[in-house]
Amino acid sequence: MPKFLRIGIHQSNVSGYTSKAWCVRRVGTAILLKWGAVEVQGAGDGRKVYWTRLPQQKTVRCGSAQRAQDYAKAAIARRRNHRYEPLTGAIVLRRRPAAGNTELKRALATILIVDIVGSTAKAAKLGDVRWTKIMGHYYAAVRKELKSSRGKEVTTTGDGVLATFKTPAAGINCATAIQKAVRTLGLEIRVGLHAGEYTVSGTEAVGLAFHIGTRVAAKASAGEVLVSSAVKELMASQSAINLKDHGIHRLKGVPEKWRLYRVEG
């Protein structure tokens, strides 16, 4: 079996986003797996895909060629179910600047996480072709609102988007605008926002603040926009946005308990 490459969301006509790629290759009775974050530059036939860091690798010993073949088929089927698309060509590791020239910068921002509710069931009901078209419209709508609100896209995660804003009000207004836009596609989303610091190294952004924002979004129901207490504190002077107490919650993997607030209106 030739090397099989897959990348997240179908974005053949978009440049400059991040996603995740997999390589699945059968060699005799073994399966070689490689996966990690990638950066996509260019579009269409001229698209180039780069590993943003050294990919993770794993070798699965199956014991027989038939088992290896079955394992590879199942691995590929799982990627298809998660809306990955085939890639042609190689994924290249982008060269990084020398360690001495790499500066670590701290940034403070409002972090927004958008996630489609019930996406797996919708994809199964609509089929790959229709769902791929809807996802194309979905990401186009999200990016349009991000641009209007001066938000910065950080990464995409399956059917989710993570972005940053300079102010909480901009992030909240963008979240409500995205809700209205994607409803015309028959989609419901959940949104979480958190404000905090993160580290920027080259083109990468990492930090606990991103994880907290993701956990806040996970607490939201369909159609809800939830914000952390950190966002609420920064919104003290923003009377135009109504936040209702949503109680105290434990966020998986995050220390302490957090009070969350629901955006009203």
Side-chain angles (χ1 to χ4, degrees), residues 1-173:
M1 178 184 294
K3 185 164 66 172
F4 190 85
L5 304 178
R6 290 192 167 270
I7 189 172
I9 61 170
H10 179 71
Q11 292 290 345
S12 57
N13 296 318
V14 179
S15 174
Y17 66 95
T18 55
S19 191
K20 184 178 181 181
W22 281 82
C23 304
V24 181
R25 183 184 181 188
R26 182 171 69 87
V27 179
T29 61
I31 299 294
L32 307 182
L33 300 174
K34 184 187 295 185
W35 69 95
V38 291
E39 178 182 339
V40 180
Q41 294 297 331
D45 294 337
R47 180 173 62 179
K48 295 184 182 299
V49 182
Y50 302 91
W51 296 113
T52 60
R53 66 189 72 181
L54 285 174
Q56 298 184 63
Q57 300 185 57
K58 180 181 180 180
T59 300
V60 180
R61 308 290 180 183
C62 298
S64 70
Q66 183 60 52
R67 289 180 181 177
Q69 186 175 352
D70 292 342
Y71 188 102
K73 287 182 178 179
I76 292 170
R78 283 196 297 271
R79 305 298 164 259
R80 287 174 175 162
N81 289 337
H82 287 82
R83 295 177 303 284
Y84 281 47
E85 59 164 317
L87 276 179
T88 58
I91 302 177
V92 181
L93 182 64
R94 185 183 290 278
R95 292 185 177 181
R96 296 289 182 184
N101 296 328
T102 302
E103 294 184 4
L104 295 178
K105 298 180 180 179
R106 299 289 292 174
L108 175 64
T110 297
I111 298 163
L112 172 145
I113 290 87
V114 178
D115 183 48
I116 297 177
V117 177
S119 59
T120 301
K122 290 182 182 296
K125 181 179 179 180
L126 296 176
D128 290 344
V129 175
R130 289 182 62 191
W131 183 249
T132 296
K133 289 182 180 179
I134 288 177
M135 290 299 291
H137 292 310
Y138 163 72
Y139 279 103
V142 171
R143 291 186 172 111
K144 178 181 178 181
E145 299 304 334
L146 287 178
K147 184 177 181 180
S148 298
S149 303
R150 296 185 178 181
K152 181 180 179 181
E153 181 180 331
V154 176
T155 188
T156 55
T157 55
D159 54 31
V161 175
L162 190 155
T164 59
F165 296 83
K166 292 184 177 180
T167 66
I172 292 174
N173 289 333

Side-chain angles (χ1 to χ4, degrees), residues 174-191:
C174 183
T176 55
I178 291 173
Q179 276 187 324
K180 294 178 182 178
V182 302
R183 279 176 183 154
T184 63
L185 301 173
L187 300 176
E188 282 287 357
I189 59 172
R190 58 170 66 91
V191 183

